[in-house]
């Protein structure tokens, strides 16, 4: 189980770094659809860590009940 958690944590870090980089790229570039992509990237940057935290919190609650 520890190995799975480590792999998921590494995937999460890579995903967040990719989101930060895409947010930076969207902020710098100037296209017609870039503003929508920029806002979507910011929302995902906030929403994904919150969802990951919520999933781990619920998992811990369910695991304690068993």
């Amino acid at each position: 189980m520890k190995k799975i958690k480590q792999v998921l944590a590494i995937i999460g870090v890579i995903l967040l770094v990719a989101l930060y980089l895409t947010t930076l790229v969207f902020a710098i570039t100037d296209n017609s659809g870039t503003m929508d992509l920029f806002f979507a990237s910011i929302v995902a940057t906030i929403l994904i860590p919150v969802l990951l935290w919520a999933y781990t919190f619920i998992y811990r609650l369910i695991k304690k009940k068993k």
Side-chain angles (χ1 to χ4, degrees):
M1 187 66 184
K2 186 177 180 182
K3 188 78 165 176
I4 293 172
K5 285 184 181 181
Q6 288 177 343
V7 170
L8 290 175
I10 291 171
I11 290 171
V13 167
I14 292 170
L15 183 63
L16 284 174
V17 168
L19 281 171
Y20 294 146
L21 289 175
T22 56
T23 303
L24 179 66
V25 169
F26 292 147
I28 293 172
T29 59
D30 186 28
N31 285 338
S32 60
T34 306
M35 196 57 133
D36 293 333
L37 293 172
F38 176 69
F39 284 129
S41 182
I42 288 177
V43 168
T45 301
I46 295 169
L47 194 63
I48 288 175
V50 170
L51 286 176
L52 288 174
W53 176 83
Y55 291 150
T56 56
F57 181 72
I58 291 170
Y59 175 75
R60 284 187 214 152
L61 289 177
I62 292 172
K63 189 175 177 181
K64 285 183 182 180
K65 289 183 181 180
K66 292 182 180 180

